[in-house]
Amino acid sequence: MIFDYETLKLAWWILIGVLLIGFAVTDGFDMGGCAILPLVAKTDEERRVVINTMAPHWDGNQVWFITAGGALFAAWPLVYAAAFSGLYWAMLLVLFALFLRPVGFDYRSKMEDPRWRNAWDWALVVGGAVPALVFGVAFGNLLQGVPFQYDELIRPSYHGSFFALLNPYALLCGVVSLSMLSLHGAVWVQMRTKEQVEQRARFYARIFALVCAASFALAGLWLAMGIEGYQILSMPAKDAASNPLLKEVIRVEGAWLSNYADYPLTLLAPLLGFAGVLGAFLLTSIRLPALAFVCSALGITGIILTAGVSMFPFVMPSSLMPSASLTLWDAASSAGTLMVMTWAVVIFVPMILAYTFWCYRAMWQKIGVSFIKDNSHSLY
């Protein structure tokens, strides 16, 4: 075997993070663009302008989400089982919201009835805004601990409710996520459109950048001063077979900040988050949307890395039974499974990246209302 078991476990923590970042950066502008559709586009032609900047790419971008879900199932089966059992209704809400986006893209322009098109426009808003919000709420609950536990046979049981997930801190994290992706979507729309739509997108990009930076700072302050983190007191060897019941964990105030004190380089993650978001604000203001889009992507990367670094090595902490909290060391699949998945990543991810870049290059152009009118029967 090329890599030892401990290295494979750490590598897959990094790879799943990369997949989540890839999903947020690519599919994030789709969700953000749909969420802000009524704000940046006021007429039917303007809404078709915005939709046609996103619709040709959404299914390719969705590959990152599907891949991340598959990787989570194969790499961390205990996390997958506990999360999808306990957070069942939240997951269903995200999935049903995501259904609205492809159907809305395909069916919106099938009829010219304004009521028909307006209904599908709002379906697209829901399909973009709800997942963006729920993803942030999920991270907010992870940072507080999820109410699950294991019995002696390592069978998980969840003791929370859907509405308990909508607590104040989780909703604040939802605002971070929604504003982050709305900023990303607004910069994308600014970069790909003309005329009034471009101007409105620039205005709202600056609004969402400020909201994102402020809510990210507030969430970090709240985490530091008001939320207990988790600390491992003892555990088996990191290359041992996975069993979450063999360690001892306690909850300690400020524990989520310990990695930053122990490894100062990790402070680059929140700094990248703030720098990316504020860089997007400045660059979109001076009409450099391509560079603003790069900064927005870097801001997303920094914000997601901040959550990952804060929780490391925890993946799904338990508020009911802290010692049953899942970490990357005791929730992983076998070494053989992780090794096979690593080779799959090495082979297929470069293919996905090459195809993605080719698609964007082939369909790259700015779109305005006149383009929609000239191609009214061949576009979304």
Side-chain angles (χ1 to χ4, degrees):
M1 185 174 293
I2 298 176
F3 302 110
D4 59 64
Y5 195 18
E6 180 181 344
T7 302
L8 284 171
K9 289 179 178 180
L10 180 59
W12 270 97
W13 180 82
I14 295 171
L15 287 172
I16 289 178
V18 169
L19 291 173
L20 291 176
I21 291 170
F23 165 64
V25 169
T26 56
D27 212 31
F29 72 74
D30 283 351
M31 289 189 289
C34 287
I36 65 171
L37 182 61
L39 299 176
V40 298
K42 302 300 183 182
T43 66
D44 179 67
E45 288 83 6
E46 288 181 347
R47 291 182 180 181
R48 291 190 70 188
V49 167
V50 176
I51 289 169
N52 277 278
T53 67
M54 301 179 294
H57 304 292
W58 79 267
D59 47 355
N61 296 339
Q62 199 79 7
V63 169
W64 291 96
F65 182 56
I66 297 168
T67 305
L72 182 64
F73 170 74
W76 294 336
L78 294 179
V79 175
Y80 189 92
F84 277 74
S85 297
L87 308 179
Y88 183 76
W89 291 110
M91 299 292 184
L92 275 185
L93 177 63
V94 169
L95 289 176
F96 278 106
L98 287 174
F99 292 160
L100 295 174
R101 189 170 40 157
V103 179
F105 285 149
D106 285 337
Y107 281 88
R108 182 195 181 277
S109 296
K110 298 296 185 183
M111 294 175 59
E112 295 186 2
D113 185 346
R115 292 174 299 178
W116 170 271
R117 293 190 171 185
N118 188 61
W120 283 116
D121 287 341
W122 282 106
L124 290 173
V125 172
V126 172
V130 169
L133 179 67
V134 173
F135 290 142
V137 168
F139 272 100
N141 280 282
L142 287 177
L143 288 164
Q144 296 175 91
V146 180
F148 76 96
Q149 61 185 18
Y150 285 102
D151 62 16
E152 65 279 3
L153 299 178
I154 317 184
R155 294 179 300 188
S157 59
Y158 182 77
H159 300 272
S161 67
F162 172 77
F163 291 103
L165 299 174
L166 305 178
N167 56 78
Y169 183 75
L171 290 173
L172 175 60
C173 292
V175 172
V176 176
S177 177
L178 180 58
S179 59
M180 174 182 78
L181 297 185
S182 295
L183 162 65
H184 203 47
V187 174
W188 170 264
V189 172
Q190 181 190 2
M191 182 170 59
R192 292 293 310 280
T193 62
K194 303 176 182 178
E195 302 148 352
Q196 292 297 316
V197 176
E198 180 184 6
Q199 294 178 23
R200 294 192 199 103
R202 181 166 61 89
F203 172 78
Y204 283 106
R206 290 179 290 177
I207 297 295
F208 288 120
L210 294 177
V211 172
C212 182
S215 57
F216 183 44
L218 181 58
L221 186 63
W222 194 338
L223 187 69
M225 301 181 64
I227 295 178
E228 290 183 337
Y230 289 71
Q231 181 179 335
I232 297 175
L233 294 183
S234 64
M235 64 177 294
K238 295 176 181 178
D239 58 354
S242 296
N243 187 337
L245 300 180
L246 298 181
K247 63 181 180 298
E248 183 180 359
V249 176
I250 60 171
R251 301 191 69 171
V252 181
E253 185 175 344
W256 285 146
L257 302 181
S258 61
N259 284 330
Y260 299 106
D262 296 339
Y263 309 100
L265 265 180
T266 57
L267 288 169
L268 292 175
L271 290 176
L272 180 63
F274 282 114
V277 170
L278 296 177
F281 173 87
L282 294 173
L283 291 166
T284 197
S285 300
I286 59 175
R287 293 179 171 82
L288 293 174
L291 292 177
F293 187 78
V294 173
C295 279
S296 177
L298 291 175
I300 290 172
T301 302
I303 290 171
I304 294 177
L305 284 176
T306 298
V309 168
S310 298
M311 291 178 60
F312 183 88
F314 291 92
V315 178
M316 191 173 177
S318 170
S319 59
L320 292 181
M321 190 178 179
S323 292
S325 299
L326 297 173
T327 73
L328 68 97
W329 308 120
D330 57 25
S333 291
S334 66
T337 299
L338 296 181
M339 194 69 245
V340 170
M341 291 172 60
T342 301
W343 281 112
V345 166
V346 171
I347 295 170
F348 291 109
V349 168
M351 295 170 60
I352 295 172
L353 289 171
Y355 172 76
T356 300
F357 286 130
W358 179 84
C359 287
Y360 283 113
R361 184 177 180 276
M363 301 182 212
W364 191 265
Q365 62 177 315
K366 272 184 168 287
I367 300 175
V369 172
S370 59
F371 181 81
I372 296 295
K373 291 179 178 179
D374 293 341
N375 301 272
S376 59
H377 299 292
S378 60
L379 297 173
Y380 289 94

